[in-house]
Amino acid sequence: MATMVDVARIAGVSISTVSHVLNGTRNVERSTKERVLAAIDQTGYRQDTLARAMRRSKTDSIGLVVSDAGEPAFADMAHGVETAAAAHGLTLLLANSAEDADREKRAIRTLLDRRVDGLVLARAADTAPDLLPSLQNEKAPLVLLDRLYRDLPLDQVGAENRESMRTLVNHLTRLQHIRFAVVAGDTRVPALSERLDGFFDGIRDAHLEIANQLVLTGTDDDEIRALLARDLRDSTRTAVIACSTPLAVAALLAVEDAGRATPDNVAFATFDGFAYPDLFRPRLTTVRQPAFDMGVAAVSLLLERIESPEGSPRTVRLRQTLELRESTESFEASRIPS
Amino acid sequence: MATMVDVARIAGVSISTVSHVLNGTRNVERSTKERVLAAIDQTGYRQDTLARAMRRSKTDSIGLVVSDAGEPAFADMAHGVETAAAAHGLTLLLANSAEDADREKRAIRTLLDRRVDGLVLARAADTAPDLLPSLQNEKAPLVLLDRLYRDLPLDQVGAENRESMRTLVNHLTRLQHIRFAVVAGDTRVPALSERLDGFFDGIRDAHLEIANQLVLTGTDDDEIRALLARDLRDSTRTAVIACSTPLAVAALLAVEDAGRATPDNVAFATFDGFAYPDLFRPRLTTVRQPAFDMGVAAVSLLLERIESPEGSPRTVRLRQTLELRESTESFEASRIPS
DNA sequence: CTGTTAGCGCCTTCAT
DNA sequence: ATGAAGGCGCTAACAG
């Protein structure tokens, strides 16, 4: 591999000059510049990013850690982060944590070791909180994406979970649903507890009995599935809301276990949803995050923080969209008073 | 940030000793070692990977470029690569190419600039071939994953596409299907042309007329959808095979366009398939790649190549599995001569 | 068993 | 407008 020394020798200049034409960091005479460029071309020289980074203690790169790149929402976020990063001349380094706390820790370490100038953390596993404070001391600033932590003075970008759920429930109560099951999952996760709050908002808006609603929380999806299936078999419940994709999987299986069918005799709605929503049967009414834009927003926040490390932390919330599909449609036709 | 000099000073030793305890690269007396360790602990010192890499010209890391981390198969491959890498003490750097040639190029560049010790390329976009030769000259060895290139002397790991398709077609002809539509897509992609070859194998095995089969090739999914829909409306075709997930999307939409239904009056099978195959309706018969294992295999190949750069290139093919589901079931019941 | 020292390739101040 | 030279933090001879 050719180095600056080679280029300098061939061009008949000092390495200092080579460096300056490379970085446009001071004027160099047209003719010398051309000689240098020619030498670069001839040798196929390329800057050594590592040496450069070491000297500048800056890498012009940022890192992104996602818990499950396989989920469509995360893929979109990653895409947004990538696009925004590229637009700012930053390269993006990625690492998966596979929803595993240990792996996540390693991934973060790897990226930090590589001296990324900043870090975006999407959906830190639940165990992350203990590790976040330690990251505060790193020189690389941090922004949290999607899964936020209320109590930490951090830059964060998330969605308006509570509002969205409320809108969804309002829509369903308007369709005359009065007995809901809400699959809320692990309410230690802020996004999920916010969604649950929004559910209660919606129930109150319609002056419905909270006692008539089935609220399923916890971390054991199999148990949730069993409980929901049992309820659906026995009760006259008419609507199921799942608060995330994995919870939707459990809930859909429960619907099937119970011998119920969507949308014929139970309405179904989910947050986040599945890939190919128009192919998935039944087509599911879905509250979708503006994942791409969230990624873009995260990069903005990160860049601003890199600029001014001392400003006070900001939380950005983006609006979600309610995508109505057939899984919540049948009751509308059959029940609305005409 | 503390450096080795700080540690050395505090421990009252030379930086050389610090380096050696850190890397276990020569014997150091128990007591000194402990002093060093204590100093490291006290200062919170951590090695500077960049400086280290620069000095050793080795990073103990490998890179992975995938075209679409969102597709389940790629997510699994990535997971396999990650696991295998970790098992060998390597850290993994990821980059998405979003199925875009330019982006892919940049991603590769980024990783190479970061001095990964080797590179795994999964599903290079079609335009990659022109760029592959140039990568041959890089010091970092390369292994291709999933989307292979026949003519290049490269390490590759893929699936036994031709065999798998043949098995699938054999299964379907045994169920009395005689008129197929095969959605082959862009046959410049080796995996797809291999699958098409396997299709013809299967047709020949059953002594069926090739002329009676509808073979849809090309890069325009909308056109494929339209052609297939038209055919399904007019013909008595009974089975559709899609050769990849995107092609399956087009094909499923065509089935719907034509007013046909799976599996009631048309059997359907696909390669690769969708996430949550047991939730997706209809449940699709799917030929699935051992994606995780492919990732693992790729790392093995890469490590061997790093060891001995001069050995002759190897291609590893893994066997796929045929997952039978209801989308190919109805005809079995109704048509098999009893 | 431990220390000294020469770079790895680059950027950047200080001279000229 | 250009050069010379000092380090960034580390590893690996080479010496003792």
Side-chain angles (χ1 to χ4, degrees), chain B residues 4 19 23 45 47-48 52 55:
Chain B
M4 275 184 26
S19 171
N23 301 310
Y45 166 81
Q47 278 186 308
D48 182 327
R52 190 158 192 267
R55 194 50 239 258

Side-chain angles (χ1 to χ4, degrees), chain A residues 42-60:
Chain A
Q42 174 185 339
T43 55
Y45 166 81
R46 293 212 350 273
Q47 277 186 309
D48 182 327
T49 8
L50 258 48
R52 191 158 192 269
M54 166 146 127
R55 191 51 238 260
R56 304 195 317 155
S57 50
K58 219 167 150 279
T59 56
D60 296 326

Side-chain angles (χ1 to χ4, degrees), chain B residues 119-122 141-145 154-157 297-299 301-302:
Chain B
L119 208 49
V120 178
L121 232 56
L142 195 67
V143 9
L144 257 36
L145 186 51
L154 279 173
D155 293 306
Q156 313 183 314
V157 16
V299 173
L301 246 45
L302 191 55

Side-chain angles (χ1 to χ4, degrees), chain A residues 6 23 30 37-38 41 55 57 59 64 77 144 168 170 184 200 207-208 228 233 236 244 257 264-265 283:
Chain A
D6 302 313
N23 302 308
R30 188 165 204 65
L37 259 18
D41 206 58
R55 191 51 238 260
S57 50
T59 56
L64 170 63
M77 283 182 212
L144 258 37
L168 170 62
N170 288 162
F200 291 128
H207 308 293
L208 297 178
L228 179 57
R233 240 186 303 267
T236 57
S244 75
D257 293 344
D264 294 340
N265 56 32
R283 295 185 182 89

